[in-house]
Amino acid sequence: MKCEKKQFNCPVEATLALIGGKYKPLILWHLIGQPLHYMELQRLIPNATPKMLSQQLHDLEGNGLVHREVIPEKPPKTIYSLTSFGQSVVPVLDAMCEWGKNYLDIQPH
């Protein structure tokens, strides 16, 4: 899904094309500071179906945000980690987290 710069009307649109979606921000968030096996990601994001999780990981890998490494064991293990480009989105995710905390704090319980 490599994104081409010319297809966007504004920078927010480009950002959403790369990290938008139901599970992409969560995947990236969980990969901050630690590589994870596919099954670990599945446990951390239980609402994502295996097909959806695989598709979102494939998109993130295709756009250069996530690195996929297959360990040739029996059975093979797949480990995902952030690329340096993926690391560059961490401040955006941090800001989303802070905004979400503030939003949750002002909601009536």
Side-chain angles (χ1 to χ4, degrees):
M1 177 189 155
K2 278 281 191 214
C3 294
E4 294 182 30
K5 291 179 185 178
K6 62 183 178 228
Q7 75 187 62
F8 304 114
N9 296 313
C10 75
V12 172
E13 193 175 352
T15 303
L16 288 174
L18 291 168
I19 68 164
K22 196 166 185 178
Y23 300 112
K24 287 179 188 175
L26 292 174
I27 292 167
L28 294 167
W29 181 256
H30 288 302
L31 291 176
I32 294 173
Q34 62 184 351
L36 293 171
H37 297 280
Y38 176 83
M39 292 306 293
E40 291 174 306
L41 284 167
Q42 208 167 32
R43 278 191 292 274
L44 289 166
I45 309 170
N47 291 336
T49 64
K51 181 180 177 184
M52 179 57 74
L53 183 59
S54 293
Q55 182 60 52
Q56 300 275 285
L57 284 162
H58 181 75
D59 288 352
L60 290 167
E61 181 185 8
N63 286 319
L65 292 154
V66 168
H67 173 71
R68 176 179 175 262
E69 182 181 355
V70 178
I71 309 296
E73 297 177 349
K74 297 271 185 207
K77 287 186 181 178
T78 307
I79 298 176
Y80 294 91
S81 58
L82 293 181
T83 62
S84 56
F85 181 51
Q87 291 285 347
S88 72
V89 81
V90 171
V92 175
L93 297 171
D94 284 340
M96 289 172 66
C97 182
E98 281 305 308
W99 189 89
K101 283 180 189 173
N102 291 335
Y103 170 77
L104 292 172
D105 286 347
I106 62 170
Q107 292 303 302
H109 298 288

